[in-house]
Amino acid sequence: SLFYALPYNAYLYIEILFIQLKNNFIIMSKASDLGRLGEELAATYLMRNGFRILQRNWNRYNGYELDIVAYKGGVLHFVEVKTRSSEILSSPFDAIDNDKMVHIYSAIQHYVRYFRLSDSYPWVFDAVGVVYENENKYSIDFREDVGGNVDYAAYYRKKYRKPPLTW
């Protein structure tokens, strides 16, 4: 059997793994698992604060995704969720740079056109930062209307090394 042919340190690794599972540690196999968990926590937070969740992980046409589309007080909220296991290296909000905002605004434009919403329909771009260390220790930070000025020229210069011919 292959199991008997494992070196001794592999047995120690397997034993440690089983001990962690036994003690109810959450072991994240991928970053996407942590992201999914963060989105669940963010959606729960938004619902508890009076938001109605309309869509989750909406993705059409351009490949860009809207994490959460919610509704509250006559305003449509497009919510980007960023999750980290620790804030030691960076805040979750540091990941929302100009390039990410260009992608999100592109997805928002597609969403508005797809559902044939009026151009005057009020909407905002919000962000939720989740720092998840374990099931008993996590924090959620909601920031409303974080969408500032998006520098499309800088995005196109970076992507194509020159701006497009027409603006």
Side-chain angles (χ1 to χ4, degrees):
S1 158
L2 178 65
F3 194 71
Y4 292 112
L6 291 173
Y8 179 72
N9 58 353
Y11 289 114
L12 289 177
Y13 175 77
I14 292 170
E15 185 177 344
I16 290 170
L17 183 66
F18 283 129
I19 290 170
Q20 287 177 337
L21 288 170
K22 183 180 168 191
N23 291 331
N24 294 323
F25 280 87
I26 294 179
I27 299 171
M28 300 295 172
S29 60
K30 299 178 186 174
S32 62
D33 293 341
L34 182 63
R36 241 182 268 118
L37 181 63
E39 287 180 13
E40 286 293 329
L41 292 170
T44 303
Y45 173 86
L46 291 171
M47 286 188 288
R48 286 183 181 163
N49 285 286
F51 288 85
R52 184 169 159 231
I53 305 297
L54 302 177
Q55 303 273 333
R56 293 186 56 186
N57 300 316
W58 189 84
N59 186 349
R60 297 281 190 280
Y61 304 121
N62 61 359
Y64 305 132
E65 180 181 79
L66 295 171
D67 291 338
I68 297 174
V69 180
Y71 181 82
K72 181 180 180 183
V75 178
L76 208 53
H77 293 261
F78 297 98
V79 183
E80 177 68 13
V81 180
K82 290 296 175 187
T83 309
R84 297 286 179 266
S85 59
S86 166
E87 273 191 305
I88 293 173
L89 297 176
S90 69
S91 163
F93 297 108
D94 292 341
I96 305 175
D97 58 2
N98 188 62
D99 291 357
K100 183 69 175 173
M101 288 178 63
V102 167
H103 294 170
I104 291 169
Y105 277 109
S106 176
I108 290 171
Q109 290 170 355
H110 284 290
Y111 186 92
V112 168
R113 280 191 295 241
Y114 183 81
F115 289 103
R116 296 185 176 123
L117 300 175
S118 164
D119 289 339
S120 62
Y121 198 89
W123 61 267
V124 293
F125 168 51
D126 304 333
V128 175
V130 179
V131 178
Y132 185 90
E133 294 182 31
N134 61 48
E135 61 188 26
N136 297 320
K137 187 175 181 186
Y138 61 88
S139 64
I140 300 173
D141 185 10
F142 174 69
R143 296 187 184 175
E144 193 169 357
D145 200 10
V146 296
N149 294 329
V150 178
D151 190 353
Y152 287 97
Y155 172 76
Y156 284 111
R157 276 195 305 272
K158 184 177 176 183
K159 185 172 181 179
Y160 300 110
R161 303 289 184 247
K162 60 182 179 180
L165 297 175
T166 58
W167 287 95

